Each structure stands twice: as C-alpha cells, then as structure tokens.
Amino acid sequence: MAFFPIKGFLGTGATFEADLNLVVQVVMGVALIAGSLLAKRKRYAAHGVCQTTVLLSNLGMIGLVMWPSFQQQVRPALPEGLHKWYFAAATIHALLGVMAELLGLYIVIVAGTHVLPQFLRFKNWKRWMRAELVLWSIVVLTGMGTYYAWYIAPFG
Amino acid sequence: MTTKKIWIVGLATTVMIAMMLLGTPSVAANDQPSGASADVKIDNFSFGPQTLTVFVGTTVVWTNRDDIPHTVVSTDGVFKSKVRDTDEKFSYTFTKAGTYPYFCSVHPKMTGKVVVQ
C-alpha cells in the first residue's frame, strides 16, 4: 500500500498499515460487541448488517495488510522460526484469525442466505454466534500480542 | 652513549614509526576507493554503522544478522530490497555523490544513511 505514509501514527516502531490495522481491528471488535447487543434487543436486521459489515471489512484488512505481511515476513521462517515469539505470535494469530473469519462467513451465509443445503445449516444460533464472538476476541488479543512482539518489544 | 648505539636507537625508532604509519590505514575503514565495497550489518533491529561514508562507485552490502526479516529501502526510492531473511544480503552500487537515507519497510524505526563522496 504505497499510497500510505511509511511510519505509523501510534508512536511505536510500526508501519502505518500496522497501526491502521490495529485501530480498525479494535473498532471492529467494539462493533461486534455492539452488534451482539442489538441481537439481545431483538433488532435482528441491524444486528445482521453490523456483523456482516465487520466480517467483510476484516476480509479486506486480511487481503490488504495481514496476508501479504504474513506471506513476506513469517511464512519463509516457518516452521523453524516457531520457537521465536516474533513468528509464533503471528502464526497463532493467523491460524485463529482464519478460523474466525471462515466461521463468521459460514454463520453469515447460513443466517443471511439459503444457498446451503439443509444438512449444512444450524439452528442453535446463539451457541454458534457466541462461539464466534469468543473466538474473535481471542484473535483480537493475539493480534495485539503480535503487534507488541513486532513493533513494541524490539524497540522498548 | 656511543655513535653506534645512537645509530641503532635512531634506526629502531625510525622502523617503529614507519611500521606504525604503515599499519594505520590512510582512510577510514568505510571510506573505500571507487570500485570497492563496504558492509552494513543489520543486527538487533538497527543498521550498523548507521551512517556510512563511501566514494562514488562503491558497492554497499547489507547483511541481515538478525533472526528477524528486514528490508533496505531508500527513502528517495533509489534502491529497494526484497525481504531479507537471516544471513541474506542486499547490495547496491552508488554511482552518484549524495546522501542516501534508507529504512527498513517492515520496521520503519530502523533507519540509516549512506553518504557518497
């Protein structure tokens, strides 16, 4: 993303994209919690729009920032580099993140469309969506851990 | 002290001074003549030396001694390495005099400068 400045804006050793991604992820995490409260208040249409927007926005952040970064900086060092926090944190975050994104997409497809056959659809909505929210929260935390390992700890 | 001893002491002193002069490089280690090369080590999230002074025609070789991948990217877009893993190198030959600031695009807090004379 050459049209962005190089240095980040949070005062750490991060790039602009990394800082932007961190802020966007935190905002999206808050939005997901707000979206779950909408469901609690039975505002299901708004809940669906909110959660789907977050999910698709995250897909964009994965494609633009996280996936290229992982491919360039982490994948060549695997599996030998896994004993280092620098690579381990990013790998754990990536694995959990892919799971959360796929699970989210599955939930959105089941909840918002009829494209999947009946045997692939679930009915216990709350359990699936709560599981997704918990997984997403863990992904956000591991993302923060990755940010710390990459951009704060080395320059501390 | 006899004349012979004075000669011996004088000769020994001359030889010692000559050896000291010959042993000292006439230019700094990084000030290599044209066509030479100079090294920059990437270690512990920093470039060393941070400022390198070389002559026109010098090839600067950056070696990543860190266990983390880094890049070497000119701030002015003159040169740009791919991601360099541990022990991988990147080199660039400077053909024009000037000051060339650079950084690691993965960790932009890591900066360095090549001064070409």
Side-chain angles (χ1 to χ4, degrees):
Chain A
M1 293 205 287
F3 46 86
F4 281 144
I6 295 152
K7 286 188 177 176
F9 51 87
L10 294 178
T12 64
T15 57
F16 185 90
E17 294 105 278
D19 278 356
L20 179 69
N21 189 37
L22 181 69
V23 171
V24 168
Q25 293 299 332
V26 170
V27 169
M28 289 198 299
V30 172
L32 278 182
I33 293 168
S36 68
L37 294 176
L38 286 172
K40 226 171 186 180
R41 292 179 184 177
K42 301 191 187 305
R43 294 176 61 187
Y44 297 118
H47 164 75
V49 169
C50 181
Q51 310 305 70
T52 305
T53 303
V54 168
L55 195 72
L56 296 179
S57 302
N58 191 49
L59 210 51
M61 294 309 287
I62 290 171
L64 288 172
V65 179
M66 291 180 275
W67 181 253
S69 176
F70 186 85
Q71 286 295 319
Q72 278 197 328
Q73 298 166 50
V74 182
R75 203 175 164 194
L78 298 181
E80 295 83 7
L82 273 176
H83 65 282
K84 293 169 196 157
W85 266 114
Y86 190 93
F87 299 113
T91 306
I92 292 166
H93 174 64
L95 288 172
L96 292 175
V98 167
M99 283 169 62
E101 188 65 32
L102 290 176
L103 180 60
L105 285 171
Y106 173 61
I107 292 171
V108 164
I109 289 169
V110 171
T113 71
H114 297 283
V115 294
L116 290 178
Q118 199 58 40
F119 73 96
L120 284 176
R121 300 175 69 86
F122 56 82
K123 285 179 181 172
N124 44 351
W125 300 93
K126 282 182 182 176
R127 187 176 293 176
W128 280 88
M129 290 183 179
R130 281 174 185 165
E132 171 67 353
L133 195 59
V134 168
L135 182 57
W136 197 285
S137 304
I138 294 168
V139 171
V140 171
L141 288 175
T142 57
M144 287 175 171
T146 303
Y147 184 93
Y148 179 83
W150 283 36
Y151 304 119
I152 297 176
F155 305 102
Chain B
M1 193 179 278
T2 62
T3 310
K4 193 179 175 184
K5 281 183 180 173
I6 291 169
W7 271 104
I8 291 169
V9 170
L11 189 65
T13 309
T14 308
V15 169
M16 281 174 65
I17 291 169
M19 283 174 70
M20 283 170 69
L21 286 172
L22 288 171
T24 308
S26 57
V27 289
N30 294 329
D31 292 343
Q32 298 296 323
S34 179
S37 68
D39 295 315
V40 176
K41 279 182 186 170
I42 307 171
D43 198 12
N44 199 23
F45 288 85
S46 61
F47 294 104
Q50 201 167 33
T51 300
L52 176 72
T53 304
V54 296
F55 287 116
V56 170
T58 303
T59 299
V60 177
V61 182
W62 286 266
T63 307
N64 185 8
R65 298 286 185 212
D66 236 339
D67 53 5
I68 301 299
H70 293 292
T71 64
V72 182
V73 180
S74 162
T75 307
D76 305 319
V78 179
F79 51 87
K80 182 181 181 181
S81 80
K82 291 180 178 176
V83 174
R84 303 282 85 186
D85 216 333
T86 305
D87 291 331
E88 287 186 337
K89 296 172 189 287
F90 169 70
S91 61
Y92 182 78
T93 303
F94 291 88
T95 55
K96 284 182 185 172
T99 300
Y100 298 86
Y102 63 89
F103 62 98
C104 167
S105 62
V106 182
H107 311 97
K109 223 173 186 176
M110 291 170 59
T111 58
K113 190 167 44 176
V114 177
V115 179
V116 183
Q117 296 174 336

